[in-house]
């Protein structure tokens, strides 16, 4: 890692000279280079590598958690290389579609320079948006970056998140404006008419969402993964609570059974839970009972458990009046502070909310 950083630092003067030439006049700067020379590709890839290196280092302060920085760099580099290869293939394809004969060496070299600059332009807007998001809503920012947000729709109520999205869109707009600005250089390299160049540009813009989705599909399993499992292994399983009381001529009982499961797929940041609760009371002559069943998603972060119901049903059976009822409810998210304790008798899971504490034990 250190050797790589040293090489990137050594290439900074070359990078700065090329960047200063590209920003005001990208078409003129690229066409002035001898892209067929033996050193053309090496110089182009050096420029691209420094651009990606700057982008990675600039985002380090925004990383969440104590991740292995070398591993993160390796993952980012692999994904960046994959994304660059897709852009090169997309560019060659659209020129082929309009009848041009792609000059691969020239396309790769030019794309290195143009992609390097577009990376930095987009990075500026992303960093500004992330900084504002983190300053206005630190909790929402952490949940968004780690993928641990229990309810994604709640993020849209965050002013910080909405501002971040605005800057993200601005970054995309600026990137497309840059592509439009530099497209003339490709036309000169491909030696085609302005009409064919315009058609190729339209095709490029039309294919861009597909390329973006391919990159996103590759990115999802590796980026925004929080340290540790989405649902800690220590929580997975069934936890029960049983309580009985007898007073005032009334006997009552309550049982609660929670089942916690990990995500079905690794890229998901929420697991699944189910709740079965039974309440009953008897005065010796008749019984009133209530049965509750609930299904939904569970999100765990730090010492907090969020339960997001997807379905909730309550059955009430009243033998005293002969009335029965079945109600479908839509309760909101429930948040618990949890703690796992171990003593000679085994494990205990204690859940705390505004109503108090409930401690459960593993179901046997």
């Amino acid at each position: 890692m250190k050797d790589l950083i040293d090489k990137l630092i050594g290439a900074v003067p070359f990078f700065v000279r090329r960047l200063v030439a590209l920003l005001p006049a990208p078409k003129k700067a690229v066409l002035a280079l001898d892209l067929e020379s033996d050193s053309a590709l090496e110089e182009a890839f050096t420029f691209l590598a420094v651009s990606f290196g700057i982008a990675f280092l600039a985002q380090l302060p925004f990383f969440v958690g104590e991740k292995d920085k070398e591993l993160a760099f390796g993952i980012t580099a692999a994904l960046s290389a994959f994304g660059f290869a897709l852009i090169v293939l997309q560019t060659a394809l659209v020129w082929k579609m309009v009848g041009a004969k792609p000059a691969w060496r020239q396309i790769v070299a030019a794309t290195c320079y143009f992609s390097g600059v577009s990376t930095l332009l987009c990075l500026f807007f992303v960093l500004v948006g992330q900084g504002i998001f983190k300053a206005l809503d630190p909790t929402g920012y952490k949940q968004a970056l780690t993928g641990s947000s229990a309810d994604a729709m709640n993020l849209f109520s965050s002013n910080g998140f909405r501002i971040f999205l605005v800057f993200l869109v601005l970054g995309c707009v600026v990137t497309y404006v840059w592509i439009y600005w530099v497209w003339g250089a490709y036309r000169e390299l491909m030696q085609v008419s302005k009409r064919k160049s315009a058609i190729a540009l339209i095709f490029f813009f039309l294919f861009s969402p597909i390329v973006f989705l391919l990159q996103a599909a590759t990115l999802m399993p590796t980026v925004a993964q929080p340290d540790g499992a989405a649902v800690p292994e220590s929580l997975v399983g069934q936890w029960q609570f049983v309580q009985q009381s007898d007073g005032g001529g009334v006997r009552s009982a309550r049982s609660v059974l929670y089942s916690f499961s990990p995500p079905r797929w690794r890229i998901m940041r929420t697991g699944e839970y189910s709740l079965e609760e039974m309440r009953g009371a008897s005065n010796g002559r008749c019984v009133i009972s209530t049965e509750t069943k609930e299904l939904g998603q569970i999100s765990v972060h730090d010492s907090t458990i969020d339960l997001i119901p997807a379905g909730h049903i309550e059955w009430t059976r009243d033998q005293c009046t002969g009335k029965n009822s079945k109600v479908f409810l839509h309760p909101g998210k429930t948040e618990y502070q949890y703690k796992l304790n171990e003593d000679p008798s085994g494990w205990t899971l204690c859940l705390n909310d505004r109503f108090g504490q409930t401690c459960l034990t593993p179901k046997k």
Side-chain angles (χ1 to χ4, degrees), residues 79 82-84 86-87 210-220:
L79 292 173
F82 176 72
F84 175 75
L86 287 178
I87 293 173
I210 299 175
V211 173
F212 174 77
L213 290 176
L214 287 173
Q215 289 179 274
T218 307
L219 193 67
M220 285 176 64

Side-chain angles (χ1 to χ4, degrees), residues 131-144:
I132 295 174
F133 186 9
K134 188 175 183 179
L136 295 181
D137 186 2
T139 301
Y141 172 82
K142 181 178 180 180
Q143 292 180 352

Side-chain angles (χ1 to χ4, degrees), residues 158-203:
S158 167
N159 289 331
F161 182 68
R162 289 199 293 264
I163 293 174
F164 169 70
L165 290 181
V166 170
F167 275 91
L168 199 61
V169 171
L170 286 175
C172 292
V173 171
V174 170
T175 299
Y176 277 104
V177 171
W178 170 257
I179 294 172
Y180 174 80
W181 192 17
V182 304
W183 197 253
Y186 285 114
R187 179 174 63 82
E188 295 289 340
L189 294 173
M190 297 299 105
Q191 297 181 351
V192 297
S193 64
K194 290 185 177 181
R195 175 176 169 275
K196 287 186 175 181
S197 176
I199 295 174
L201 180 61
I202 292 173
F203 281 140

